[in-house]
Amino acid sequence: MRVPLSWLREYVDLPATETGRDVQAKLISAGLEVETVEHLGADLKGPLVVGQVLTIEELEGFKKPIRFCTVDVGQANGTGEPQEIVCGARNFSVGDKVVVVLPGATLPGGFSISARKTYGKVSHGMICSSDELGMGDDGTHGIIVLPPETEVGKDAVELLELVDEVLDIAVTANRGDCLSIRGVARETAIAYGLPLRDPALLDVPGPNAFGYPVKVSDPAGCDRFTARTVTGLSPEARSPIWLQRRLQKVGMRPISLAVDVTNYVMMELGQPLHAYDRHQVQGTIGVRRAQEGEKIVTLDGVERKLHAEDLVITDDRGPIGLAGVMGGADTEIADHDPAEEGAAATTDVIIEAAHFDQVSVARTARRHKLSSEASRRFERGVDPQAASAAAQRTVDLLVLLAGGTAEAGVTEVIAPSAPHTITLAADHPDKVAGVTYGRETVVRRLQEVGCDVYGQDELIVTVPSWRPDLTDPNDLAEEVIRLEGYENLPSTLPRPPAGRGLTGRQRLHRRIGRALAGAGYVEALNYPFVSEQVFDQLGLEADDPARRVVKLVNPLSDEEPALRTSLLPGLLAALRRNDGRGSHDLALFETGLVFQPRDAARVAANLPVDRRPSPDDFAALNAALPDQPRHVAVVLAGAREQAGWWGKGRPADWADAVEAARTVAREAGAELGTRKGQYGPWHPGRCAELTVTVDGAERVVGHAGELHPRVLKTLGLPARACAMELDLDVLERVGDTVPQAPSISTFPVATQDVALVVDAYVPAADVEAALREGAGELLESIRLFDVYENAEQLGEGRKSLAYALRFRADDRTLTVDEASAAREAAVALATDRTGAVLRG
C-alpha cells in the first residue's frame, strides 16, 4: 500500500517537522512494515510553469514529425515574451494549457534543461509529459494538457503536487484495514497519540423504498449491498488534477471521472466500489452464485466461463460482474471521446458498495487468475460498516466534480449480524508478554484500536468492524503488546533441559548427508509437489504403485496438484535446470519424505486446544495421514572426475549411482544386495535392483543405474544421466548403527586370483555371490578387478571376470593347500550356478 504523506496529513495533524522517515519509524514500531519512503520531486528544480500554446509550425524533412511552438509563459521567463520550443508530441493544439520547463531547470533523473539548437531551431525549454516529470502513467502517453481555466505562468510544481513523500507499506494478510489511507491514518494517530479525523464519519441518509431495486439471493456471500444513483453527469467533466495526482501516487492510473472517483474512495476508505452505466443495466441488480457454464466478458475484455461457486452480480440478462473481483464489459462506464462520432458518454450511474465473503472472493480471483485491487482488499477483510459511507462519499464527489444530481433513493440490503465480542482476562496480555502492563494500559490500548471494553478483572471486548482479524484473546494481547512496543519486551534465552539431543533417526540422516557431500554430491531441496504427467515421462507402468498419489484440495499450482511418491521428479528437474544454465558436470542428492495414500481413507479429527492431546488423539490423527517414508536419491550427469594434468578424467556412469547407494547403506549399517533389475525410468540393461533382508525375507528397497534414453529425451536431460533412489526408513530398520571396531588379525593373508569366463548376459554380482558362498568362512574379501571381452579369444557372447580373493584364518597361518582348496570350492560353485569356466 502506497501512502502519500500529504494525503495522510489530511486526517492526522502531524507536526510540520515530521518527515516520511520519522513516520516510517513510528509505524514500524507499531508493527507495520514500511519498506521504503519514496521522495517524489527530490531532484526537481524549477522554473516549471503553466504555459499556453500560441502557435504551432510543422517542420518538414525529418524522420519523425517535429513541431516548432511558441508558448506564453507569462512573466516566468523574465521578459513576458513567448517562449520558442521544439516538441515532437502531437496530442496538443493551439490554445491548450501545457507544462513548460524553462532553461536552468532540472528534471527527475538529473536531466538539466538549457537552450539548445535542434532540428534547425533553437529550443528554449521543453513542453513536458507526465513521464518526464516522474508523475507516473496518466494514460495519455503524451504531453500534459491542463484544464482551460489554469492560470498561465502558475508554478506547475505546486499545481501538480510534484514534491511529496510516499510510504510503501507491505501489508500482511490479516491487516486489510491498512489497505486504505483511513486505516494507515488510524495507526499513525495511535502511534503519535493524536486524534484522527475519520473520513468515514459522514451524514448518510437511511434506506428508503425509492432506491434502485436489488435482490441478494446469497446472504452468506453478500451480507451488505448499498446502491446509490447519480444522474446528469457532465460528459465533458474530467478528474481534477489533485485527484489524478493522488491516484498516481498510490500507484493507479487515471481513467475517467466516474472510475477515478470510485478508485479514489476505495483508496481513501478501503471499501471497493463499482459504478454501472445505468442505461446499460436491465432490470433488478442481483447477487447469486453462478450457474455452471455461464459466461461473462470482464472489463479486461476476456470472456470467462463461470464456476458454480463464483459469486456474481446480475441483471435480467445474467451476470454483469464477478462480485468483489471485476465488473463486466456490458455495463462499463463510457467516457466522452470527441474523436468518436455517435459514442454516447455515461451520464447516469449506479454506485455499488457491497461487502462480500472473503473466502468466496479469494477463490474466484484465484480460479480465474484475476487479481484486482478490489479482490485484494476483500480477501484480507473489508469494514462492512463503511459501505454506506463509501457510497455517500462517491456520490458527493460525483455531484461536486461532474455536476450530477444525487437521487433520493437509497438501497441497503443487510443480513442481520451481531458485533463480535471476546472475553479477555485483564492480565492475559501480561502473561503472554511476560511484562506487567496493568488493566488501565490494556483497556486504553484496546480502545485506541476501536474496541469497546467493559468489565474489571474479566473484560468484555467488542471488536470494531474494521478489524475482522481480532478473533480471540491472543489477538487482543498482540494488539496491546505491539502498541506498547515490541522493542520493550525483555529478551530471555530459553533454557532447554539437559541430556536431550538429536534422535537416532536424525543423526542417521545427518550422517548420510555428510557422507554424500563428502563423495562430491550437492544437496538440492525441492518442493514436494508433482504433476501426474511426470509418471508417464518416467515410463512407469499403468498399475505402478507410485502412480497412486495424495492430491491437494487447494494446491499452490494447478499444474502440480499431487504430493510426490518419488524424489526423482524434483531432482531431475533441478538437474535439467542447472544443465540448461551451463553447469554440465552435476552430482545432486536429496533426502526427504514421499507420500503414499493409505488403502482406507479416513477423516482427521479436530484435536483439542484446551489441553495436550492424548496418545490416542495423536494415533487417530496419524492414522488419517498418508504414509510418509523418508527416501534418499541422487542424480549424476557429465564428468564424475575432471580431466587435468593428472589424467583424462571419466564420465559419471551407472556404477557411481550404485556406489552412492552403498555409501548410504554403510552409514545405516545395513548390508545392501545388488542384482540386475528393470524398473521405470532406468535403462533395462544398466539398472541395479537394491535389496536388503527384512525378517528373513529379501525386500527391494530401491534402484540405481543409468536412465533410459527415452526418459532423458522426454525430460530434456543430458545424455547418460544416472540416478539412484532408496527407502531410508527400511535401511534404518534393518541397519545396525552401533560402531564396530575393525578386526585386525596377527596372521598373514593368502591371496588367490581367479578369472572366469561366462556368458555376456550373466551379471557379475551373481558370479561374485557364488564365489563368496563357495569359498566359505576363510574368505576375507572378494573384489572384481577386471572385465575382458574378446570374441576371438573367448568366443562370441562371452566375457572374462577376474576376481581377487583374500583368505585368512583367525587362529593360524593358512597353508597353500588350504587357500587353494577354498579357491577351488568357490570356482566349483560358480561353475555349477552360472556356467563359469576357468580362463586359460
Side-chain angles (χ1 to χ4, degrees):
M1 176 68 190
R2 291 170 56 85
V3 179
L5 189 59
S6 59
W7 198 350
L8 193 63
R9 288 182 182 275
E10 282 198 8
Y11 309 127
V12 184
D13 288 327
L14 295 173
T17 56
E18 289 293 283
T19 66
R21 294 291 184 190
D22 298 329
V23 178
Q24 178 188 31
K26 285 282 190 180
L27 292 180
I28 289 176
S29 179
L32 292 185
E33 184 181 352
V34 184
E35 293 185 324
T36 60
V37 177
E38 183 180 352
H39 296 268
L40 302 181
D43 49 357
L44 175 65
K45 296 180 181 178
L48 189 73
V49 298
V50 175
Q52 184 173 22
V53 180
L54 302 178
T55 64
I56 298 177
E57 177 187 351
E58 301 287 346
L59 302 182
E60 306 292 340
F62 300 102
K63 293 182 180 180
K64 62 179 182 178
I66 298 297
R67 312 167 93 185
F68 180 65
C69 310
T70 59
V71 184
D72 178 14
V73 295
Q75 297 299 318
N77 57 5
T79 65
E81 296 295 324
Q83 202 78 1
E84 296 179 337
I85 299 174
V86 175
C87 183
R90 309 192 65 78
N91 69 313
F92 64 95
S93 307
V94 172
D96 283 346
K97 303 289 181 64
V98 294
V99 178
V100 179
V101 57
L102 301 177
T106 302
L107 294 182
F111 182 54
S112 299
I113 302 299
S114 60
R116 63 189 183 97
K117 188 173 183 179
T118 178
Y119 297 103
K121 301 284 186 178
V122 178
S123 182
H124 298 272
M126 189 168 73
I127 302 176
C128 298
S129 68
S130 59
D131 287 338
E132 290 163 342
L133 297 178
M135 295 170 57
D137 185 12
D138 63 355
T140 65
H141 302 291
I143 295 302
I144 301 171
V145 179
L146 300 171
E149 64 273 13
T150 310
E151 179 186 350
V152 172
K154 183 179 179 63
D155 183 4
V157 175
E158 179 183 352
L159 175 70
L160 300 178
E161 302 178 14
L162 297 179
V163 178
D164 203 349
E165 292 181 276
V166 179
L167 285 69
D168 195 348
I169 304 175
V171 179
T172 55
N174 66 316
R175 291 303 305 273
D177 61 304
C178 288
L179 286 174
S180 66
I181 304 297
R182 178 196 185 200
V184 177
R186 183 182 293 110
E187 291 295 318
T188 305
I190 296 172
Y192 278 91
L194 296 172
L196 169 71
R197 287 189 292 275
D198 191 342
L201 294 180
L202 301 174
D203 290 331
V204 179
N208 54 52
F210 310 108
Y212 196 90
V214 173
K215 180 181 179 182
V216 177
S217 302
D218 190 340
C222 176
D223 58 9
R224 182 179 291 263
F225 195 106
T226 300
R228 300 288 299 276
T229 304
V230 181
T231 59
L233 301 181
S234 171
E236 289 79 20
R238 292 291 175 268
S239 300
I241 293 174
W242 64 266
L243 192 149
Q244 294 187 45
R245 289 296 296 132
R246 286 191 171 179
L247 289 177
Q248 288 174 327
K249 289 176 185 179
V250 298
M252 302 191 76
R253 179 172 64 87
I255 298 174
S256 65
L257 178 58
V259 176
D260 292 350
V261 167
T262 58
N263 287 336
Y264 177 86
V265 175
M266 176 179 66
M267 289 297 175
E268 182 180 55
L269 302 182
Q271 168 67 52
L273 301 109
H274 189 70
Y276 301 93
D277 187 328
R278 182 175 181 178
H279 297 295
Q280 301 300 323
V281 178
Q282 298 180 12
T284 301
I285 292 178
V287 183
R288 62 168 171 83
R289 298 290 171 176
Q291 297 173 8
E292 193 69 42
E294 279 188 309
K295 295 182 179 179
I296 183 176
V297 178
T298 46
L299 287 174
D300 57 359
V302 177
E303 183 179 77
R304 303 181 186 278
K305 186 176 180 181
L306 300 178
H307 188 275
E309 292 184 5
D310 290 335
L311 192 66
V312 293
I313 310 298
T314 65
D315 64 3
D316 290 350
R317 296 167 297 178
I320 59 173
L322 283 173
V325 180
M326 185 174 287
D330 290 343
T331 57
E332 181 180 7
I333 298 295
D335 194 17
H336 173 69
D337 188 350
E340 293 188 25
E341 294 185 4
T346 298
T347 57
D348 300 341
V349 298
I350 302 171
I351 306 300
E352 166 209 305
H355 185 259
F356 300 113
D357 176 60
Q358 292 179 241
V359 175
S360 177
V361 172
R363 288 180 175 174
T364 297
R366 185 169 182 175
R367 188 180 298 117
H368 294 283
K369 297 180 175 60
L370 186 60
S371 179
S372 63
E373 291 289 348
S375 67
R376 185 171 172 234
R377 282 160 176 78
F378 279 121
E379 290 172 15
R380 288 161 175 78
V382 168
D383 180 6
Q385 303 293 335
S388 56
Q392 182 63 46
R393 177 73 165 139
T394 305
V395 168
D396 292 344
L397 287 173
L398 288 177
V399 171
L400 174 67
L401 302 177
T405 301
E407 289 196 351
V410 177
T411 302
E412 279 196 8
V413 180
I414 302 174
S417 62
H420 181 55
T421 60
I422 302 172
T423 301
L424 174 75
D427 61 348
H428 182 69
D430 301 5
K431 295 178 180 178
V432 173
V435 175
T436 302
Y437 293 122
R439 179 189 176 280
E440 290 74 16
T441 299
V442 171
V443 171
R444 175 171 55 85
R445 288 302 189 184
L446 292 179
Q447 289 175 338
E448 285 178 345
V449 300
C451 297
D452 290 331
V453 185
Y454 302 95
Q456 292 299 318
D457 294 338
E458 187 174 81
L459 305 177
I460 306 299
V461 181
T462 302
V463 175
S465 58
W466 57 82
R467 290 299 302 273
D469 59 305
L470 303 180
T471 60
D472 58 56
N474 285 332
D475 294 331
L476 300 179
E478 182 182 3
E479 291 299 297
V480 175
I481 295 168
R482 74 176 181 88
L483 295 178
E484 284 295 305
Y486 290 120
E487 67 276 10
N488 297 323
L489 294 178
S491 298
T492 305
L493 291 176
R495 296 182 180 180
R500 294 185 181 179
L502 299 177
T503 64
R505 189 184 193 204
Q506 291 170 330
R507 288 194 295 270
L508 172 62
H509 296 161
R510 291 198 179 187
R511 286 202 311 273
I512 289 172
R514 285 194 293 267
L516 290 174
Y521 292 86
V522 176
E523 186 171 16
L525 301 177
N526 300 291
Y527 286 116
F529 312 116
V530 296
S531 67
E532 294 184 87
Q533 287 74 25
V534 75
F535 302 124
D536 296 327
Q537 297 171 338
L538 292 177
L540 300 186
E541 298 292 339
D543 59 348
D544 194 295
R547 286 182 175 269
R548 294 184 62 236
V549 295
V550 177
K551 289 189 177 180
L552 300 173
V553 175
N554 194 20
L556 291 178
S557 169
D558 293 335
E559 296 177 357
E560 295 180 331
L563 293 173
R564 66 189 178 192
T565 56
S566 166
L567 300 182
L568 289 184
L571 272 179
L572 293 176
L575 181 73
R576 178 180 63 248
R577 188 162 51 250
N578 283 274
D579 181 72
R581 295 177 180 176
S583 299
H584 304 301
D585 303 325
L586 296 161
L588 308 177
F589 85 93
E590 181 178 10
T591 61
L593 301 179
V594 299
F595 305 85
Q596 300 167 350
R598 298 180 187 269
D599 294 332
R602 300 184 182 180
V603 178
N606 292 325
L607 295 183
V609 295
D610 57 341
R611 57 179 173 81
R612 175 179 171 80
S614 68
D616 291 340
D617 292 332
F618 283 121
L621 178 63
N622 290 329
L625 297 176
D627 288 327
Q628 301 177 51
R630 183 172 290 271
H631 282 201
V632 58
V634 305
V635 293
L636 306 100
R640 186 68 178 124
E641 295 178 3
Q642 295 289 337
W645 59 265
W646 53 84
K648 296 181 179 180
R650 69 172 183 84
D653 61 17
W654 62 268
D656 294 303
V658 175
E659 183 57 30
R662 289 175 173 152
T663 299
V664 172
R666 281 195 296 270
E667 292 298 326
E671 185 175 344
L672 191 69
T674 58
R675 64 189 183 201
K676 182 179 179 181
Q678 182 174 347
Y679 177 70
W682 280 277
H683 192 296
R686 298 168 189 155
C687 173
E689 199 170 66
L690 309 173
T691 64
V692 294
T693 301
V694 182
D695 299 329
E698 193 175 55
R699 177 173 171 179
V700 177
V701 292
H703 296 82
E706 184 178 315
L707 295 174
H708 199 292
R710 182 172 59 250
V711 173
L712 299 178
K713 182 179 180 180
T714 302
L715 294 177
L717 299 171
R720 308 302 292 271
C722 303
M724 177 278 293
E725 184 167 12
L726 274 174
D727 188 328
L728 261 184
D729 284 358
V730 177
L731 287 183
E732 180 185 5
R733 192 186 317 159
V734 302
D736 182 6
T737 57
V738 177
Q740 300 291 331
S743 176
I744 302 175
S745 176
T746 59
F747 298 97
V749 67
T751 302
Q752 296 270 359
D753 293 345
V754 59
L756 301 176
V757 178
V758 297
D759 290 332
Y761 64 82
V762 176
D766 291 351
V767 178
E768 179 180 327
L771 290 173
R772 187 183 298 276
E773 183 178 342
E777 296 181 353
L778 294 179
L779 181 66
E780 182 179 79
S781 67
I782 181 172
R783 179 174 61 89
L784 175 68
F785 66 86
D786 183 54
V787 178
Y788 177 70
E789 295 181 4
N790 188 312
E792 295 182 1
Q793 297 184 17
L794 304 177
E796 193 67 34
R798 305 280 282 176
K799 64 182 177 183
S800 172
L801 304 175
Y803 293 91
L805 287 75
R806 293 167 57 91
F807 300 96
R808 196 194 309 260
D810 295 334
D811 56 350
R812 67 189 187 281
T813 299
L814 293 178
T815 65
V816 174
D817 292 340
E818 287 178 310
S820 297
R823 173 181 178 273
E824 291 171 1
V827 171
L829 188 58
T831 300
D832 182 56
R833 288 188 176 177
T834 65
V837 178
L838 273 173
R839 183 179 170 188

